[in-house]
Structure formats: C-alpha cells, structure tokens
Amino acid sequence: MATFDDLLEEAGAFGRCQRRVFALLCLVALPFAGVYVGTVFQGFTPDHWCRDPAVAERRQACGWSLDKSRSLTVPLVHSSGGPQQSSCEQYEVDWNATELTCDTQELDLSEVPVTECKNGWEYQYEGRNSFVTEFNLVCSDSWFVDMNQSTLNLGFLFGSFAFGFFADRFGRKISLIISSLLNAIAGIALALAPNYVSILVLRAIVGFAAKGGWMSSYVLLTEIVGVEYRRTVGILFQVFFSVGVLILPLLAYFVTDWRWLQVVITLPYILFLSYYWFIPESPRWLISQNKSSKALEITEAMAKENKRKLKSSVTLTDVEGDSSSASLLDLVRTPNMRKHTFILMFNWFTTAVVYQGLIMRVGIAGGNVYIDFLISGLVEFPAAFLILFTIERVGRRIPFASANIVAGAACFITAFIPDHMFWFKTVVVCIGRLGITMAFEMVVFVNTELYPTYIRNLGVSVCSSLCDVGGIVAPFLLYRLAVIWLELPLIIFGVVAFIAGVLVLFLPETRGVPLPETIDEVEFPNSFHPSTQHSESVGSLCV
C-alpha cells in the first residue's frame, strides 16, 4: 500500500507539471494585493476644505491660486502638528454681499464667526477621483472610509470559513473557479456601484470571494508538491502578493479614476476562469474523498508531463483524512494546546493590524502616496529570503519573535522622529514593514506545525480568523486615533507587535521535529522527540 507522498516521489516532487501549476496559481496572488490594499488609492482622502461658491467663482475670474481662495474661505485651527487650515469649517460670510475684488489684499478674518461646511468641499487632487471625493466622505462622514476596509475584512472572515468548507467538500479546483467567477461579477458591479452603501456590500462580497480563491490556490499548490518543497512554494506564493503590492501604485498612478482602477484589478479574475482547463484537482483531496482511481489518473498525467513513469501496479491508501471527532474544545482543552492557540491567535490578530495599519498609513502620512507606497512595497521582498535563509539554520521561533519585536520597535521609534527628518523616518517605518511582513509569512506555516494532524485544518482556520478580525479593527485604530495624533496608531502598533514577539518565545521550536499526529505529542513532546528537550525549555514556562 503506497501513500500519495510515495507516489509523488515517483511522479516528480516538483517537476515540469508542478512548476507550470505553480506559475499559474502564483498569478492569483497578484490581483489579490489590489483587493487587499487597493483602498489606499481608491479611497484616498486628499487635502480638502469647505467650498464657497462665490469665492470659487471669483477665483476663476481673477486667476487666484487655491491657497488665496482657501484663505478667504476657511479659518486656521490648532492640531497636533500646529496651526493649519480647517478641513471642516468655513467663515460664515456672504461674499456676494461684499466688495470682494480681484485686487483684494489679505483680510483680517480672525473675528469672523465660523460654521460647518454648507456647500460641499474642494479637493486638491489634480484631476484624480477616489470614492472619497466622489461621495464627499470627509469630516463627519469620514468614518465611512474606515468601513470600506472593514467590510472587506468581514468578507474575508466569512470567506475563510465558507470556502474552507466548500474546498474540503467539493474540491480545491472548483473552489478556485467559483471564487474567480464571483469575484469577477462582484468586482465589475463594484466599479458600477451607484452609491456608497452598495459599495460596502459589494466590497464584502469581493472579500468573501477573493479570500476563497487565495486559500484554494495556496492549499492546492502545497498539496501537489513534495514534502520538501511545500514550505518554499508556500512562501514564494506569498512573494507574488508582494509583487502585486509593488505593481499597484504604478497602476493607480496611470489609472486616475477609482472605478477604472477597480476594473483593472478585477480583469485577471475573468482570465482565471480558464484555469478549469489548465490545472488539475488535488490528488490528495481526491484520495480523502475515496476517489483513488481519479487521483491515480491525475498523478499519472503529472508523471507523464514530468517525463517520469509510475510503477505498473500501485494501490493508494488514504492517510490524509481528518478525524470526525475533531472539536473546537480540543484547541483549548489541554495546557500546551491552549497556550499555542492563544499565542497564535494573538499573532494572527497583531500581524493583520500592524501590516494593514502600516500600509494604510501611507495614505495619511502626507508624502507622495505613490512613491511612499512603492518604497514600502519594495521592502517586502527581503522578508521571504530572510525566512528561507534562517528557518532551517536558526529555526522558527527566534526569527518569528525577532520579526515581531523589530516591527514593534520600528513603529514606536518612528512615532517620535521629527517630520523634518523625513527620509530617516521613511527608512525606520520600512524596517517595521519588513519585520511585520516576515512575521505575517511565518505565522502561516508555524501554525500548521503546532497542531496534530486530525485538527490541523481546524486549528489553522480558527486561529487565522483573528487575522480578519484584526483587519476589521485596523482602519478604525488608524484613522480615528490619527485624528487625535497622527503618530498615536504607531504607538499602539508598536506595543502589540512587541507583545506578540515576546509571546512567540514561549512556543516550542519545530525545526527538525516531525508534525504531531496526536495531542499527546503536543503535550508531552519530550516523550516522543527527546532531541527537542532543549528547545522546549522556554515554551514549558507557560504550561
């Protein structure tokens, strides 16, 4: 009786077939970056102020600058950065009833009463259009912008569970096709949305579908390669997300309308529908569904493409199925399981909050959003190579903890760097972005290595759901706290990332340790793997 891993070695652990499928599935990660962080450009809030129709008309007639007309419209207010022109108040003056001429010099308006904006807003956005400028989501309505990213993450949350079940029940390939179809329909509908409520609903649907496609691609990819390649292809798959992050500001720079940018982000999902004919179903999943003959047929096709040949007589046995006795209580019933679950859930939450927070902060930091986003996106690439270089030499725990602690320290330091030291501030925040990206990529496979086989999928699903909860919280933390002090969110990010890093030190080291099959192996690792005794010394402090 042969397992699928035995058969895969004969067919080729990472041959021409797997490399082709790897290349196709990695393309799914590119538009996912646009879905995940596209709101930085689609929902960009530019510098804005109250519109006074009389002053705007006079500006056109007299050729005044925006600064000139703005000084006649809005008062100065005090903020954490010092005095600045108000975005939400205007002078209560009827300029049509005054003798305002083109030659009017500076006026003393300090004693003039002020009021809320009455005639909408003007935006300094140079011909560009975001949904913020289209629907005037500023001042008292600015919290609707927070909702945009939060509803996306709400869709992610439900998509994780729904497509997790769907992929286990009906297959990885069909899940990818269904998610691509749903994403294509919802994405185009989003570009045509007539009002902001419909935008929020469609953003949730896009999140629901996009997360399903991402998960299905990741699982399918790791299931068709040999054991020694799984971790590498999983990390490289996430690198393509970083490539998408790098491409996004270039697209946003040339596609100036948020609706057309949405169309561009959505178009690849239409192309992914063709994957029905180009990628195979996961043989591992077929085996778990007692469809060994179909699994063998697909494996033989893979072997043929890899220029290999299977043995003439092969019988597959199913060792991949999950136990029907798996329960949520198993995640917290015993001391080590409870410790692992708590630490991993906190780390999933933290990585989502800090990662999304640092990305969305680019849109409110006051620099060139395109250049700043491009620079911060570039620093994601070393993260994958640092992981690949360290995890088999140093282990998992130290790089994972260090990544969180470095990210936390960078956030905290950045908050106290003066604004005039712009480049130094940019460098430090990029170091934080590098650290949290590394932590984000590591939490995925560390999560899989700490749970026994029969509840591994359940453990990853439950813990990773905190990532989506963190994504729901992140916009409110960033935008609402930034109103108080622009750097206050960085203080919060720094604290939670540092705590997450310290907690990781209480996890066991899993380098060179076989994946646990039972809870007893998790609770009493020294009895099963005596060589891990030293690496467990810190983790045992929390038992």
Side-chain angles (χ1 to χ4, degrees):
M1 301 286 280
T3 66
F4 179 69
D5 284 321
D6 298 328
L7 197 61
L8 195 57
E9 288 300 318
E10 295 181 23
F14 193 62
R16 180 179 176 181
C17 177
Q18 287 97 330
R19 290 195 293 271
R20 176 179 61 82
V21 175
F22 171 73
L24 290 173
L25 292 180
C26 280
L27 294 179
V28 177
L30 295 179
F32 185 67
V35 172
Y36 194 49
V37 295
T39 190
V40 171
F41 301 101
Q42 292 177 299
F44 181 69
T45 302
D47 196 13
H48 56 279
W49 59 92
C50 299
R51 182 179 185 276
D52 188 301
V55 174
E57 182 180 340
R58 195 59 53 89
R59 181 177 71 233
Q60 293 291 331
C62 300
W64 288 344
S65 66
L66 285 175
D67 288 339
K68 168 69 173 177
S69 61
R70 188 176 183 179
S71 66
L72 296 172
T73 306
V74 300
L76 289 176
V77 294
H78 293 280
S79 68
S80 58
Q84 63 181 27
Q85 290 176 307
S86 174
S87 297
C88 302
E89 293 180 331
Q90 67 179 77
Y91 291 121
E92 196 167 11
V93 177
D94 182 4
W95 291 107
N96 287 320
T98 68
E99 297 182 357
L100 183 64
T101 68
C102 294
D103 298 325
T104 299
Q105 301 299 313
E106 295 295 328
L107 299 176
D108 182 8
L109 301 172
S110 59
E111 301 300 323
V112 176
V114 297
T115 184
E116 294 181 350
C117 298
K118 296 179 178 180
N119 299 287
W121 287 262
E122 292 192 81
Y123 299 95
Q124 194 163 8
Y125 203 32
E126 301 176 357
R128 296 177 178 272
N129 182 36
S130 70
F131 58 72
V132 171
T133 62
E134 181 175 334
F135 297 104
N136 289 322
L137 302 179
V138 293
C139 298
S140 61
D141 288 334
S142 61
W143 66 276
F144 280 111
V145 182
D146 310 2
M147 288 294 295
N148 187 272
Q149 189 70 6
S150 293
T151 54
L152 176 75
N153 280 277
L154 188 64
F156 284 166
L157 180 61
F158 286 103
S160 297
F161 287 102
F163 274 93
F165 169 80
F166 193 88
D168 284 342
R169 180 67 181 85
F170 300 103
R172 284 54 164 136
K173 177 179 173 179
I174 192 64
S175 293
L176 173 59
I177 300 303
I178 294 297
S179 70
S180 297
L181 178 61
L182 184 57
N183 220 325
I185 295 172
I188 296 298
L190 178 56
L192 301 172
N195 54 61
Y196 196 67
V197 173
S198 60
I199 287 176
L200 294 180
V201 172
L202 289 167
R203 278 283 279 176
I205 297 173
V206 166
F208 178 87
K211 188 64 175 288
W214 166 270
M215 289 177 55
S216 300
S217 299
Y218 186 92
V219 172
L220 176 57
L221 180 60
T222 57
E223 287 184 340
I224 65 169
V225 301
V227 175
E228 67 272 27
Y229 293 98
R230 287 183 197 168
R231 194 169 295 112
T232 302
V233 299
I235 293 172
L236 291 179
F237 178 77
Q238 296 179 74
V239 168
F240 274 79
F241 173 85
S242 297
V243 174
V245 169
L246 204 60
I247 294 172
L248 182 61
L250 301 176
L251 289 175
Y253 182 79
F254 291 104
V255 184
T256 58
D257 188 281
W258 76 270
R259 293 182 183 272
W260 282 109
L261 182 59
Q262 178 61 39
V263 171
V264 172
I265 292 170
T266 303
L267 285 177
Y269 288 101
I270 299 175
L271 298 178
F272 296 154
L273 296 175
S274 65
Y275 282 15
Y276 181 84
W277 293 279
F278 294 112
I279 64 172
E281 180 55 90
S282 166
R284 292 182 189 274
W285 176 79
L286 290 168
I287 294 170
S288 73
Q289 302 297 306
N290 297 317
K291 298 179 180 178
S292 296
S293 59
K294 180 64 176 175
L296 185 58
E297 179 184 331
I298 292 175
T299 309
E300 287 173 341
M302 292 170 60
K304 183 178 180 180
E305 188 174 346
N306 292 341
K307 301 187 184 304
R308 297 283 193 96
K309 190 173 183 179
L310 301 182
K311 293 179 180 178
S312 56
S313 178
V314 177
T315 303
L316 287 172
T317 179
D318 176 15
V319 295
E320 304 290 338
D322 289 333
S323 170
S324 60
S325 63
S327 165
L328 285 172
L329 289 177
D330 290 334
L331 302 178
V332 295
R333 183 178 286 120
T334 54
N336 275 350
M337 290 289 291
R338 186 163 53 246
K339 177 184 67 174
H340 296 173
T341 298
F342 169 75
I343 294 175
L344 288 168
M345 289 175 75
F346 188 82
N347 268 270
W348 275 107
F349 176 84
T350 298
T351 51
V353 167
V354 179
Y355 182 82
Q356 288 195 50
L358 289 180
I359 287 181
M360 291 186 294
R361 182 182 178 275
V362 173
I364 65 172
N368 186 307
V369 65
Y370 302 99
I371 295 176
D372 292 351
F373 196 96
L374 189 66
I375 292 172
S376 63
L378 281 170
V379 304
E380 291 198 2
F381 289 93
F385 298 104
L386 282 172
I387 293 171
L388 293 173
F389 181 77
T390 58
I391 58 175
E392 297 303 335
R393 293 173 173 82
V394 181
R396 279 73 158 137
R397 185 172 56 187
I398 298 302
F400 189 10
S402 299
N404 273 306
I405 292 172
V406 167
C411 289
F412 199 82
I413 293 171
T414 301
F416 295 99
I417 298 176
D419 289 339
H420 68 270
M421 302 176 68
F422 173 74
W423 284 108
F424 180 56
K425 193 165 190 169
T426 300
V427 169
V428 176
V429 80
C430 283
I431 292 173
R433 177 80 174 271
L434 171 65
I436 203 62
T437 300
M438 188 172 173
F440 215 152
E441 293 179 1
M442 288 198 71
V443 72
V444 179
F445 65 82
V446 169
N447 202 155
T448 64
E449 293 179 337
L450 289 173
Y451 286 107
T453 299
Y454 83 102
I455 56 170
R456 187 168 296 129
N457 287 344
L458 179 66
V460 173
S461 294
V462 171
C463 291
S464 65
S465 67
L466 267 292
C467 172
D468 302 317
V469 174
I472 294 171
V473 171
F476 291 98
L477 275 178
L478 177 71
Y479 296 127
R480 294 312 103 206
L481 293 181
V483 172
I484 302 172
W485 177 34
L486 182 62
E487 311 298 0
L488 183 56
L490 288 177
I491 302 295
I492 305 300
F493 298 159
V495 170
V496 295
F498 185 83
I499 293 173
V502 172
L503 289 175
V504 168
L505 294 174
F506 293 89
L507 291 174
E509 178 57 68
T510 55
R511 182 185 62 155
V513 180
L515 293 178
E517 299 293 337
T518 65
I519 288 183
D520 283 344
E521 290 185 56
V522 176
E523 294 301 319
F524 309 104
N526 294 336
S527 301
F528 293 89
H529 313 292
S531 62
T532 66
Q533 185 171 358
H534 177 71
S535 64
E536 288 284 349
S537 58
V538 175
S540 62
L541 294 175
C542 278
V543 178

